[in-house]
Amino acid sequence: MAGLVNNLLILFLVFQNICSGFRSPLSVFKRYKDTTRSLSSECLGSNRPVISLGLSDFALDIRMPGVTPKQSDTYLCMSVPLPVDDEAYVVDFKPHASMDTVHHMLLFGCNEPSSTESYWDCDEGTCKDKSNILYAWARNAPPTRLPKGVGFRVGGETGGRFFVLQVHYGDISAFRDKHKDCSGVTLHLTHQKQPLIAGMYLMMSVNTVIPPGEKAVDADIACHYKRFPMHLFAYRVHTHRLGKVVSGYRVRNGQWTLIGRQSPQLPQAFYPVEHPVDVSYDDILAARCVFSGEGRTTETHIGGTANDEMCNFYIMYYMEAKHAVSYMTCTQNANPEMFRNIPQEANIPIPVNSDMLKMTHGHHEEMKDTDKSSLLQQAKKEEEEILDQDFHIEEAVEWPGLDLKLGQVSGLALDPENNLVIFHRGDHVWDENSFDSKFVYQQRGLGPIEQNTILVLNPSNAKLLHALGKSLFYLPHGLSIDKNGNYWVTDVALHQVFKLGAGDKEPLLILGVALQPGSDKNHFCQPTDVAVDPVTGSVYVSDGYCNSRIIQFSPNGLYVMQWGEETSSGKARPGQFHIPHSLALIPDFRQLCVADRENGRIQCFRLETGEFIREIKHKSFGRELFAVSYVPGGLLFAVNGKPYPGQAEPVQGFAMNFSTGEIIDTFIPLRKSFEMPHDVVASADKTVFVGDVHARAVWKFASTEKMEHRSVKKAGIEVQEIKESETIVEARLKNNPESTDPLKKQEKQHLVQQTSTGVSFVLVTTLLVIPVVVLLAILVFIRWRKTTVYGADGEHKLDSSSGRILGRLRGKGGGGLNLGNFFASHKGYSRKGFDRLSTEGSDQEKDEDDGTDSEEECSAPPPPPAPSSS
């Protein structure tokens, strides 16, 4: 019995020791809660700063204790002790702040904060001992996630025991209501040992001076690395208002490898390093900030206020735990000469929306009230104004451009004067003999096209205004015109992109290597189209038939970046292409839309980053979508390809709402038929041109709004006029004809509301005319009855007068009134555009003198050619 008691006693003591060696997080949190300072009741969540996430994990809420800064550019700090004594690891961060009130936040780790107050002015310092930056946030950045198995080490013998939060309040106008701020960050910590320890490497310029008015000023930083290997996984850039782009590199044996490049005016998050970069002993870490002193009247120095500047490049890295160093800095330029070889991309500013610039870092500049509305809101307003109108797209049948003698029409564009520009192939043809299996052009012996390949036409009468491009190209494809009137074209045989001045015989710029296909930064493979940003001048090239990418170049032709990949098996994913065939730049929304031809869709991307935004895809597109064009104000036009065998979707044009992607209208030609519509371009008045590579033709379409009566006020008198333009004939649109009724009713109501002047005159005139008309009608009716009663003699007498008119007014609708036939009876008057005004009769009736053949347009199209040729 005594032995049993002794054994139980030993087990109890062992169990007690185990329990004392492993303290439950709940007991730790209770101890922490008892010692923590009371915070403002306005700070949601601060009454529970520590939250258990299981036996080994917990969350720590670090918030400002309800502060109200008194002046702009205030830096406030507060500290929170680590609620455990043992070693722990921070594995996740979740920020709680808005750029409306906070310029940026920094989270430090240290052992002794500069103050024991609930918060203090950071001018007193952050920590009394060495501090390490664990986290940084600014400009509504998203949460930062660390890779699996990586954590910042805190507590224990080597890690910091306090967290210090520094918040920079740039502009305090948001605190006019005297509210209290509780910005901060929530940390996810774990007791589980992490095999890889995270750290922060800060590259910072300390002596840069930016002269006033200077367009470009570089701040360069470089240091030799002298420690154990580290692996870089995230980066962050930071400047104030004048910063245009910040880039960081690893330099090894003279080779520059990009770590990250970003505009400091975009959300200042930690962005992932796109391609993993490791840094070894004796490598060089280099960074460059590009500033502009334009708009400044005095020198700008590095400092902490809104009128100062900063040049910071943060690198998050991880190392093996046994060699880990948590924080390193570089503030010098160890090798200024090497920056002569820095990649050109580091010198090219990344453009940012002006509405984003108006919210620079929380340092809100003084602005007039009229400047506070964003460009995006203005663009949407313009879109609503345009799309609020009901319209149909119909062929302008009297436009003579359809009869032009052209080669294969590959590209269309409108120049700054709104003239139509056509890019065609003359006597050259792209067929199965044009290229070998490696995409090398096989018909060089034909020489370049001897005809002028670029034709400038008057859009109203198709009169040739200018021509160029003779003996320059082999197989033209894409065409775009920048705001200065320069032509940007692609040649799929030469694998090149050309910039041509309107009056120049030789190219101003050539990208790519002639007749050499490739997929690197200096080569294209059958490039298809070009788009030029009117704001920044950046050039975007879709490349192409044998590459699946979009490449951005600077205005001078320097490579900037690229995105896109080949479509994998199965459903095409965002950013994948199967012949990126046509580009439409949307300056209103800072987007670039791509006609992803063989995937039958439109993909739109953010201009500055190439980030995928959305896809526009409809069943009516069919298998192929050839071209896309944008009209400022919110309209997107596109053309598809012929259906594959067994598919029913016809080849046609589309008008879409850009914001929603909804199809507003579809259109097809009346004269001839689409065979392979290859490009489309539209103007602000909804005039649309479509070029067909197989039909070798260009059609002009216009909105039916041109046929509506316009109301013009002159000196208070309402005048109705019809716009004098080409006659427009309905092109068998699928839309319901009744959809125009609301617009017509609206116009009638508009006229009634605006004709207060002269109403009495119109009323009196009407009252006088009505009895006369009624009397004449009675007389005509009596005479007609006499003719019916008295037989043939009476009929012959009537035929020579009013009977002839009434007979024509009856038309073909079984006694119905047909104004089209009435007007057509008069010599020299065209009846086009009036036949469908008949108030009775079947829509399926075909007039005997109607020369159009509707059967041809409704018949099934022939099988399409191989998708690779166009």
Side-chain angles (χ1 to χ4, degrees), residues 60 76 85 90 246 352 386 388 438 472 538 693 729 737 741 757 825 840:
L60 178 62
L76 296 181
D85 296 327
V90 181
V246 182
V352 180
I386 287 184
D388 189 49
K438 296 182 179 179
L472 283 178
S538 294
V693 73
V729 177
D741 290 345
T757 303
S825 65
E840 293 185 16

Side-chain angles (χ1 to χ4, degrees), residues 24-186:
S24 167
L26 293 177
S27 63
V28 174
F29 300 155
K30 184 177 186 302
R31 172 175 59 83
Y32 175 82
K33 185 176 181 180
D34 291 340
T35 59
T36 193
R37 293 180 292 269
S38 60
L39 303 179
S40 168
S41 60
E42 294 188 25
C43 294
L44 298 177
S46 61
N47 59 339
R48 291 187 62 210
V50 183
I51 303 171
S52 173
L53 301 177
L55 289 177
S56 61
D57 289 22
F58 61 95
L60 178 62
D61 203 34
I62 304 175
R63 305 284 192 108
M64 274 291 162
V67 301
T68 303
K70 300 296 189 295
Q71 61 183 20
S72 296
D73 286 319
T74 296
Y75 286 76
L76 296 181
C77 292
M78 59 88 63
S79 67
V80 172
L82 183 67
V84 294
D85 296 327
D86 301 331
E87 190 173 75
Y89 302 86
V90 181
V91 295
D92 199 5
F93 305 88
K94 183 179 180 182
H96 307 286
S98 169
M99 65 186 295
D100 293 332
T101 54
V102 174
H103 169 243
H104 74 258
M105 298 188 300
L106 293 176
L107 184 67
F108 300 87
C110 63
N111 285 312
E112 188 177 3
S114 293
S115 174
T116 58
E117 299 294 326
S118 60
Y119 70 94
W120 66 91
D121 191 319
C122 297
D123 288 344
E124 302 174 21
T126 54
C127 297
K128 293 181 179 180
D129 61 334
K130 181 181 178 180
S131 61
N132 303 326
I133 296 179
L134 302 177
Y135 179 69
W137 175 95
R139 295 187 60 81
N140 286 353
T144 297
R145 286 195 171 277
L146 304 182
K148 187 175 181 180
V150 176
F152 283 95
R153 183 164 51 197
V154 295
E157 296 181 0
T158 58
R161 298 182 179 278
F162 280 85
F163 296 105
V164 176
L165 176 68
Q166 180 196 85
V167 179
H168 177 194
Y169 298 97
D171 176 19
I172 64 167
S173 61
F175 290 92
R176 291 170 182 167
D177 58 357
K178 306 298 182 181
H179 76 274
K180 297 183 182 299
D181 181 63
C182 310
S183 299
V185 60
T186 298

Side-chain angles (χ1 to χ4, degrees), residues 783 787 790-804:
R783 187 166 184 179
T787 303
Y790 296 131
D793 292 339
E795 183 175 350
H796 289 300
K797 294 177 183 178
L798 180 65
D799 186 55
S800 63
S801 56
S802 59
R804 181 185 303 128

